[in-house]
Amino acid sequence: MPATHKHLLELLACIDLEEKEQVKRFSLDQQHTLKNLKAEGLALHPLIVTRKNFGYADYPEISFRLAFPPETNLFKDGAAIECFITGEEPIKGILLSLDGKSGEFRLFAPDFPDWIEENGVGIKLAPDQRTTQIMKTVLNELEANKNQLQLFEQLHEGKESSGKSLKNIDLAFRNNRLNESQQQAVKAVVQNDSIVIVHGPPGTGKTTTLIEAITQLIKQGEKILVSAPSNTAVDTIVRGLITAGVKVLRVGNSSKADEEVFPYTPEGKLSNSKQQKEIKQLKMRAEEFRKMALKYKRSFGKAEREQRNLLFKEVKSIRAEIKKLQAYNEEKLYTEADVIAGTPIGLYDAKTSQLKFDSLVIDEAGQCIEPLAWCLFPLAQKIVLAGDHLQLPPTVLSEEALRKGFNRSILEVAIQSLKNVYLLNTQYRMRESIAGFSSDYFYEGLLLSASHLTNTGQHITFIDTAGSGYQEVQGNDGMSLQNKGELDIVLKLMETETLNPKPTAFISPYSGQVAAAREVLPREMRISTIDSFQGQEKETIILSLVRSNDDGIIGFLKDYRRMNVAITRAKEQLFVIGDSATIGADPFYNSFLGYVERIGGV
């Protein structure tokens, strides 16, 4: 069997494994009680409904808040969900956003359920069968596309013999503050004729570099597709493109687009058009039918049920008409835009395959599983992958799929085969001593710090709990670990160092420790797992490692990329609390302890 065919079959098998695991994990039944789902971060319950409205294509949308901010990295925007209440049939939908204690979701239903504002309503994650189906379709189509098959072979079957040497072109940079490595990356993107990688470690100005590269490509007359695995990452780059004066169209979830991004969505651009008035009239008609249907309440007879179903059928038909009209109106916008941006599935849904793109830019490619990338690769002649494969990989639930390497991002796959890699080598976020260990261990000493970040005192401190009796314990949920002693140290630290809670964040690898921290630390302080904090920063970071036992067991502290994220979030002060006797036997943590000792921070 050819190696290419084998890789394709493995990816397809992993998609099946992940789908089965989702079905198993997300079920609400006797084996998986609501308490279990909440403990594993798979359900949010109870919700307080704060607003109801009809949004995109006239689907019902619900804003909600929670009594406490949830700690989960699985409720990502765009996640498939089900809205439920005990004793009723759950309704499928999609999470639009979740930020701290508040969020919003859309239901794929003709109307709001009668019970939506009752006590005990919640949402839980559901298997994302649509994304699964799209990924399977694009992989199955790969072998029929000669160019795509060639690219697949290039990425999976061995290293390039050499990188392409850059011509010495003279670019007129729009942003004249770019450093040498950023300029080189921009030139590489402009000269790219196949696939190029922009490797951006923490704080190195990756977004700034990509925006410059995109504006240069537009100058060359190119039409560009921009994507990232999350809506948040897409909006970050869209905001930069708006500031740079680029003609950008942001497709996908526009209902949560902020004031700055909304005018650049199809909905925002069409908001005052003749077509929008037509859509408004259709929505009013749908509303009339809906009101008529709602006269028939939950306890009704056969004739009433049939009448209600007919009315909802009419609502569904109007909704299909609205979607068709929106798609027709959006086509012109697609033609006019220089850049179309969205998540992989958002772009796939937007029917962008009917357009011709010169370049595709995937940001945060280190978080993008490979099959999602293949949804986009056929849409453009040239590809730019940007991100950092040495930070956290994509989330995968199936242990078997993990063993088969399904959490290897497209960036990780590509960087092992391609020489055309441009490292952004200067970080602008943190003090030199905070960045130093990461630079040495992960980036071969190549990550430099900007001159204004040279050390002026002590910026990194390890607080050693060895011998203190501060042992790890199982959390109340029976799932995750806690270490109350380390939280006592945090409270003392806040007091002795007079730390302001606002610019300070508490992070930990364990959700049990994060839940315990929320009980005792100031409310205005950011308290988060490392996974949820990726891509963010604060003046001061307090990192609680939790593990403290007599056997030297460190569990998933073994994923050193998680630590790379954790120790590169602080701008001014990093405090790490841990038990050197437990973690010190591991070579990575031994190196870290040695580094901190050398700079006098234990």
Side-chain angles (χ1 to χ4, degrees), residues 173-175 178-179 181-187 189 198 200 204-216 237 422 424:
F173 289 103
R174 185 191 58 87
N175 182 346
L178 297 182
N179 65 41
S181 70
Q182 290 169 328
Q183 289 183 13
Q184 287 296 101
V186 171
K187 285 180 181 179
V189 170
V198 177
T204 52
K206 172 172 58 68
T207 306
T208 305
T209 306
L210 289 180
I211 287 158
E212 179 67 37
I214 291 164
T215 57
Q216 294 292 343
I237 200 160
Y422 292 84
L424 305 180

Side-chain angles (χ1 to χ4, degrees), residues 305-461:
R305 184 178 286 109
E306 280 174 8
Q307 187 60 26
R308 178 172 158 134
N309 286 345
L310 279 170
L311 289 164
F312 274 142
K313 200 174 176 184
E314 191 57 38
V315 172
K316 199 175 177 182
S317 145
I318 294 170
R319 187 168 287 152
E321 208 176 322
I322 291 170
K323 279 183 93 170
K324 204 188 288 181
L325 201 55
Q326 279 173 325
Y328 174 76
N329 292 330
E330 284 168 13
E331 269 178 43
K332 187 166 176 273
L333 298 177
Y334 292 159
T335 315
E336 290 167 354
D338 287 329
V339 175
I340 297 179
T343 60
I345 297 299
L347 291 169
Y348 187 91
D349 281 346
K351 307 284 186 287
T352 42
S353 57
Q354 293 150 17
L355 297 162
K356 189 170 174 290
F357 293 94
D358 300 287
S359 289
L360 160 69
V361 177
I362 301 184
D363 193 13
E364 301 297 353
Q367 285 271 298
C368 181
I369 57 170
E370 188 182 344
L372 272 183
W374 290 104
C375 297
L376 300 174
F377 281 179
L379 304 179
Q381 295 168 304
K382 302 177 293 180
I383 295 159
V384 180
L385 298 177
D388 184 13
H389 58 297
L390 299 170
Q391 293 185 60
L392 280 166
T395 306
V396 169
L397 295 177
S398 162
E399 288 293 332
E400 201 179 332
L402 269 174
R403 279 196 298 276
K404 289 175 183 281
F406 193 50
N407 70 334
R408 282 177 80 222
S409 67
I410 187 60
L411 184 63
E412 206 176 338
V413 170
I415 218 155
Q416 288 181 349
S417 304
L418 305 176
K419 287 276 183 75
N420 219 14
V421 181
Y422 292 84
L423 175 75
L424 305 180
N425 68 3
T426 306
Q427 68 84 19
Y428 296 87
R429 175 187 294 161
M430 57 208 126
R431 289 290 178 179
E432 192 176 32
S433 57
I434 297 175
F437 177 73
S438 223
S439 174
D440 293 346
Y441 193 93
F442 292 99
Y443 305 105
E444 298 171 10
L446 298 173
L447 182 59
L448 312 171
S449 293
S451 56
H452 68 282
L453 293 168
T454 50
N455 301 323
T456 52
Q458 186 69 39
H459 296 283
I460 179 168
T461 307

